[in-house]
Amino acid sequence: MKKAISIAGLHKSFGRTHALDGLDLAVEAGEVHGFLGPNGAGKSTTIRILLGLLRADSGGVRLLGKDPWKDAVELHRRLAYVPGDVELWPGLTGGEAIDLLAKLRGGLDRRRRDELVERFDLDPVKKGRAYSKGNRQKVAIVAALASDAELLLLDEPTTGLDPLMEVVFQDVVLQAKAAGKTVLLSSHILAQVEKLCDRVSIVRRGRTVQSGTLGEMRHLTRTTVEAETERPATGLDAVPGVHGLEVTGRRVRFAVDGAHLGAAMSGLGEFGIRSLTSHPPTLEELMLRHYGDELASNGRTGNGEPAQPSDAAPSTSTGRKGGAPR
Amino acid sequence: MTSTLAPLDASGRSAPTRTASGAFTGTGTLVRFGLRRDRVRLSVWLLALTLGTLATAAEYKELYSTPGERALAVGSMDSPAALAMTGPRHYLSDYTAGAMLGHQLLGFMAVLVGLMSILIVTRHTREEEETGRAELVRSTVVGHHAHLASALTLAVVADLALALLLALGLTALDIDGIGPGGALLYGLAHAAIGLVFAGVAAVTAQVTAHTRGAAGMAFAVVGAAYALRASGDVGNDALSWLSPIGWIQRTYVFVDDRWWPLALCLVLAALSAAYGCVLSTRRDVGAGLRPARLGRPTASDALTRPLGLALRLHRATLLGFGAGLCLMGVMYGSILGEAADMVKDIEQVQEALARIGGSTVAESFASMVMVVVAVAAAVYVVMAALRPRAEESAGRAEPLLATGLSRTRWLGSHVAVALGGGTALLVVAGLGFGLSGAASAGDRDLVLDLVAAAAAYAPALWVTAGVAVLVFGWFPRAGAVAWIVPAYAFLAGYLGPILRLPDWMMNLSPFGHVPRLPAAGMDWTPLLALTAVAAGLILLGLLGFRRRDLEAT
């Protein structure tokens, strides 16, 4: 498959701040790629470099096979961008702003535009200064999706949107995907990423710490198992890959590395399973693996399951392990 | 944001010890907080207004020290045009330095004090609501009327401080005809008119949901009040009595020292402030009484082109400057015929005009007006050329430059509007000056002469724009540096001849190279050179902008 975006060893500093510290990113043509990380991880900086708004200090960046700084205008005709914080002209209406942005990009599908305005329930005759945060986002989303761009760069596009509009947004992105468009979606909303993205990249402090499909990532992390057995389960701690074993009477609970799940289950089977629940790590847990130490330094240990991986967090091995397969 | 919250937390904690649920609860805290926020802004206003007055008073003392000089001043003021620009004729009956202040300066100062008071009120009411900060504050222990009451209190504090500074300062100058009693009345007249317009702003801030709209409506009231008194002072006195600016001028301060017109102001101020309070209870926080105006659902073809967008964004400013400059031209033009008589008695101006070397006094006067017109147009040009910076830091450049619009075309369209708009302003001002000057002097040829004289300044404006573009391209955060050009041009061009600045200092300003038409002859060489310099600066600025990072918000 052709790469829509390929970034290798990207560096960018603002004064003394190293916003990007050797970031890598590969997005295949036609996929929806999730771009995850907390505020200040370097997501927006990366996207602004892809847009040719910022100039990279060093590292290789190719966008649709071209240089995003030198070929900016040519590339911009083939892509659409939604910033996380949309600012509109106070005296221009939302409708005018949509037309302006879409036409400057090189064309506007009038019917599609009206349909999107309708679906997002946007009032196009209000002046920019009168719009709420969510409505300003809608203006940029409609402008981006009404154009015939082959690549969508979405930087936390739905901040301020209500849950209903979130559903509409997901629907529209899936439509775009079905139409063969490539999407880079930077987001905080993990449910959104889980639903939309084929692959994700997790960034931290300007570096990519993990990249792959959700399935691959899950395989590399622990599955949580809770079971009730006929006899109290013993000796499970001897099974390799089992962590955090808790046995209370006939109830047992542990986490197990993906590679050792089979061994753990046959070990458990010897005690006669009466009920069993297991769930793969959620995206939140995957994220927390990489940020657990930051949470801990903020005085939170996190309760319940999402916190579990943070027990293992001090070992930075997860980061290396995650980085290996790609 | 933390600094915003800190004092309110304090109020929240101390509130239970006070009356729990008054409509004005929290006003005191908001006032102190407002003073803290505006300490620099208010100090600059007060200092500028006070120093301006004191400098003018000192100048009057210097220029009109003998009865003979004062009699000449009366003669130069006793014309409809002069009265329209100053105040009622009664001041001329005893034209001391004090009477000159009351006559020539008070009306002008009333406008400035009005602007200050309006901006204080709208800034602390409507702007707080528009930005959403008011919502946060209102959710704490703060009464319904606390915002408006605190904004009005701030205006009262500022206006009274100004009154005190003026009274003390003028008394300290110890000028003949300016006694302590009159000085106090003079100062309080400022406070009174300030409060009237603060009250007006308290009403307009309720009407529209937008800060600029609220301030603009109140400014329009100031303008109307000024226009009423202008026509009243020239013709029917009753018109002046409809204007609060007319009221304070009719204290005849330093002549009759009447105090009672101030009471009219106080009553009007109190009534309008109370009306504002009532209106504020009839609307929601953040909303205006008048629903926000709607616009077009789709963009016109012109708007979706870079130049069309730039024109649309610059339209309001350009029209405002156009109207102002045209009016300025018409006003100066209307006294062009009398200019010879007016200025011949002022020695310094006379000498300055002689240095320009005009064939007639009217032509010399016209040349000098051109400098003022050109500097005013330069102010617009700097504003327009720095507009891309405002767009960039507001985050509105980013989505545009992520489309098929190149950086060169985006910046170029703004620069084109700045260059073309500045030139159009010169022509409009020259036309207004020329038409009304031709009428007042009875010389039809003046129209074309004066338009040409104004247009000759275009290349100097382009250089001004070039400096702003250069700064924007290479040092975007230092945009304000570009203001040096019009500021210096004003100092050198307007005061230079009076202060007898050496030639090399005059030539530092691009405006110093422009032939001073119509007094002097036409000379194309400096104009072509200025145009070339402007082109070079703009190209260099574009080059810098194409190379640098766009600054993200």
Side-chain angles (χ1 to χ4, degrees), chain B residues 81 329-339 362 365 432-444 446 450:
Chain B
V330 170
M331 274 174 118
Y332 278 122
S334 70
I335 53 172
L336 186 61
E338 302 157 30
F365 175 74
F433 189 37
L435 287 173
S436 90
S440 83
D443 178 1
R444 260 203 232 160
L446 274 176
L450 294 180

Side-chain angles (χ1 to χ4, degrees), chain B residues 106-122 148 151-152 155-156 159 189-205 214-229 242-248 264-266 268-270 272-273:
Chain B
L106 187 54
F108 177 63
M109 286 289 285
V111 172
L112 292 180
V113 179
L115 294 193
M116 176 181 80
S117 304
I118 288 166
L119 289 174
I120 291 173
V121 171
T122 52
L148 186 54
L152 287 169
V156 171
D159 288 334
H190 287 71
I193 195 68
L195 292 181
V196 167
F197 291 123
V200 168
V203 175
T204 60
M217 279 163 79
F219 291 162
V221 175
V222 175
Y226 192 86
L228 270 177
R229 69 130 283 278
L242 290 177
S243 160
I245 300 180
W247 297 346
I248 60 163
L264 289 177
C265 289
L266 291 185
L268 181 59
S272 50

Side-chain angles (χ1 to χ4, degrees), chain A:
Chain A
M1 255 200 290
K2 233 182 81 194
K3 292 248 192 302
I5 300 173
S6 67
I7 299 180
L10 186 60
H11 285 265
K12 175 74 188 176
S13 308
F14 300 104
R16 282 194 202 155
T17 344
H18 293 273
L20 297 182
D21 189 17
L23 182 130
D24 305 306
L25 180 69
V27 177
E28 308 289 339
E31 78 173 357
V32 179
H33 194 102
F35 199 30
L36 300 176
N39 296 328
K43 304 188 301 288
S44 296
T45 304
T46 307
I47 290 180
R48 287 191 174 117
I49 288 176
L50 288 175
L51 286 166
L53 299 173
L54 299 179
R55 193 175 211 172
D57 291 344
S58 66
V61 187
R62 301 301 281 177
L63 184 68
L64 301 172
K66 293 190 186 288
D67 180 332
W69 178 265
K70 282 193 196 133
D71 309 318
V73 173
E74 190 191 336
L75 283 170
H76 291 171
R77 298 213 170 91
R78 298 166 62 188
L79 63 83
Y81 166 57
V82 179
D85 218 338
V86 178
E87 295 297 335
L88 296 177
W89 297 269
L92 262 53
T93 64
E96 284 175 323
I98 291 172
D99 291 0
L100 173 66
L101 291 169
K103 280 197 187 161
L104 283 174
R105 187 172 292 121
L108 170 74
D109 182 344
R110 169 77 41 198
R111 224 190 40 184
R112 174 135 182 81
R113 177 239 194 229
D114 291 342
E115 178 198 315
L116 284 165
V117 166
E118 180 102 353
R119 286 195 71 185
F120 278 102
D121 197 20
L122 180 70
D123 183 356
V125 295
K126 272 201 200 168
K127 294 278 174 79
R129 60 165 84 88
Y131 281 123
S132 67
K133 163 91 180 108
N135 279 320
R136 292 204 300 270
Q137 290 301 132
K138 287 183 194 171
V139 167
I141 293 174
V142 171
L145 291 167
S147 65
D148 194 27
E150 58 191 279
L151 171 66
L152 297 172
L153 296 176
L154 312 177
D155 189 2
E156 292 173 30
T158 61
T159 35
L161 283 200
D162 63 51
L164 285 177
M165 289 305 134
E166 174 71 39
V167 172
V168 176
F169 170 78
Q170 293 182 4
D171 201 35
V172 175
V173 170
L174 288 176
Q175 268 181 21
K177 184 186 168 187
K181 296 180 180 181
T182 310
V183 181
L184 178 65
L185 172 66
S186 142
S187 179
H188 282 312
I189 307 169
L190 301 175
Q192 184 183 67
V193 174
E194 276 188 319
K195 175 135 188 235
L196 295 176
C197 297
D198 304 304
R199 294 197 312 137
V200 299
S201 291
I202 299 179
V203 289
R204 176 181 176 178
R205 292 186 188 160
R207 277 171 191 272
T208 314
V209 290
Q210 197 166 16
S211 189
T213 65
L214 281 173
E216 284 167 349
M217 284 193 184
R218 284 187 174 133
H219 186 67
L220 290 167
T221 35
R222 295 165 191 167
T223 300
T224 307
V225 176
E226 278 178 82
E228 214 181 316
T229 48
E230 285 167 4
R231 300 175 298 282
T234 51
L236 277 177
D237 41 356
V239 177
V242 168
H243 303 267
L245 179 68
E246 285 171 46
V247 185
T248 6
R250 286 186 297 191
R251 296 192 64 82
V252 61
R253 182 191 154 97
F254 57 88
V256 59
D257 291 338
H260 300 106
L261 186 57
M265 291 319 283
S266 42
L268 193 60
E270 289 170 19
F271 304 98
I273 300 173
R274 296 177 68 170
S275 75
L276 177 76
T277 56
S278 86
H279 59 85
T282 60
L283 190 53
E284 191 178 359
E285 285 170 299
L286 291 176
M287 283 281 286
L288 287 174
R289 279 188 166 255
H290 299 290
Y291 295 102
D293 54 339
E294 273 178 28
L295 275 181
S297 71
N298 289 350
R300 300 267 166 77
T301 47
N303 316 315
E305 306 186 19
Q308 224 177 358
S310 75
D311 299 336
S315 65
T316 44
S317 63
T318 47
R320 270 187 277 123
K321 216 163 39 167
R326 284 271 142 192

Side-chain angles (χ1 to χ4, degrees), chain B residues 87 111 130 182 184 197 387 445 545:
Chain B
V111 172
E130 200 177 12
L184 184 62
F197 291 123
R387 178 75 192 229
D445 295 341
F545 180 57

Side-chain angles (χ1 to χ4, degrees), chain B residues 173 225 241 281 318 335 455 468:
Chain B
L173 281 183
W241 280 107
T281 60
L318 190 53
I335 53 172

Side-chain angles (χ1 to χ4, degrees), chain B residues 289-468:
Chain B
L289 288 170
R290 198 180 64 183
R293 250 184 308 167
L294 300 177
R296 294 164 53 104
T298 56
S300 63
D301 247 13
L303 180 62
T304 59
R305 287 173 224 289
L307 193 61
L309 171 66
L311 266 175
R312 171 77 173 268
L313 296 179
H314 288 263
R315 189 172 65 186
T317 322
L318 190 53
L319 288 179
F321 266 87
L325 273 171
C326 183
L327 207 69
M328 193 162 120
V330 170
M331 274 174 118
Y332 278 122
S334 70
I335 53 172
L336 186 61
E338 302 157 30
D341 315 323
M342 267 176 76
V343 292
K344 77 171 173 229
D345 309 314
I346 304 174
E347 202 184 325
Q348 279 97 328
V349 175
Q350 192 72 340
E351 279 173 28
L353 292 177
R355 281 162 60 87
I356 296 170
S359 46
T360 69
V361 176
E363 280 180 351
S364 310
F365 175 74
S367 307
M368 215 150 161
V369 169
M370 287 311 163
V371 176
V372 182
V373 164
V375 169
V379 169
Y380 164 77
V381 166
V382 173
M383 279 174 74
L386 288 181
R387 178 75 192 229
R389 175 59 188 162
E391 292 285 299
E392 180 187 7
S393 39
R396 293 189 293 256
E398 189 179 293
L400 283 180
L401 293 176
T403 67
L405 179 60
S406 72
R407 291 188 180 203
T408 309
R409 274 190 81 194
W410 177 73
L411 181 55
S413 55
H414 280 280
V415 173
V417 174
L419 300 181
T423 312
L425 286 180
L426 288 176
V427 172
V428 164
L431 203 63
F433 189 37
L435 287 173
S436 90
S440 83
D443 178 1
R444 260 203 232 160
D445 295 341
L446 274 176
V447 181
L448 271 185
D449 286 355
L450 294 180
V451 170
Y457 277 93
L461 282 189
W462 301 339
V463 172
T464 310
V467 171

